[in-house]
Amino acid sequence: MRHPDAPAPGELLGAHYEHCFGCGGGQPHGLHLEARAGEGVRVTAEFTVKAAHQGAPGLAHGGVLATALDETLGSLNWLLRVIAVTGRLETDFVRPVPVDTVLYLEAEVTAVAGRKIYSSAVGRIGGPQGLVALRADALFIEVKVDHFIDNGRPEEIRAAMADPDQVRRARAFEVNP
């Protein structure tokens, strides 16, 4: 399943789009999640929960944690070299994640059927082998770039399409907006 041109295991995938809330550096309160290619069709990722990410006092907001899972799962599509969007994300919150905690995430593709990509992820605190804090199962649907062109804000679409770097241009459209 892994595309022959996929990044090598251990390679940092980098932001798919500078303004992405999940991985982009252009979002001051974003997650700044960093994902790395793993073996097969797997990725690992990390992000530190900041005060701007809290819901209850001193704890990460559940929506932020779901975003971290979605971003990590979406990174798997880069290993398949397909453009896909989130169709379903089912999340189990196992334990609270305090502010200033590093969340360690692992995700893998579990099956591909036509345009459907099934995947799962786990988030841990206290280290890559630490306590499980959350889990997710997801369904991504492969789409064409027209999905974004037809539905996105024209100014951002034009800017992304005008990027002379072909890899950055392609990656801008890899994850659910």
Side-chain angles (χ1 to χ4, degrees), residues 13 15-16 20 29-30 34 43 63 65 75 80 83-84 86 93 104 117 123 144 152 154 156 162 170:
L13 298 181
H16 76 90
C20 174
H29 297 296
E34 293 188 346
V43 297
L65 296 175
S75 296
L80 299 172
I83 299 171
T86 310
F93 299 96
Y104 298 88
I117 303 162
K144 301 298 180 202
E156 279 92 354

Side-chain angles (χ1 to χ4, degrees), residues 18-37:
E18 178 184 354
H19 300 289
C20 174
F21 179 78
C23 66
Q27 290 290 343
H29 297 296
L31 304 186
H32 303 146
L33 186 135
E34 293 188 346
R36 290 189 180 278

Side-chain angles (χ1 to χ4, degrees), residues 42-61:
R42 296 174 186 252
V43 297
T44 59
E46 293 180 15
F47 95 94
T48 301
V49 177
K50 303 289 186 189
H53 304 141
Q54 65 190 310
L59 297 174
H61 189 286

Side-chain angles (χ1 to χ4, degrees), residues 73-74 76 88 107-111 117-121 136-140:
L73 289 156
L76 292 165
R88 179 182 57 81
E108 68 177 322
V109 169
T110 56
I117 303 162
Y118 298 91
S119 53
S120 63
D137 290 306
L139 167 65
F140 280 77

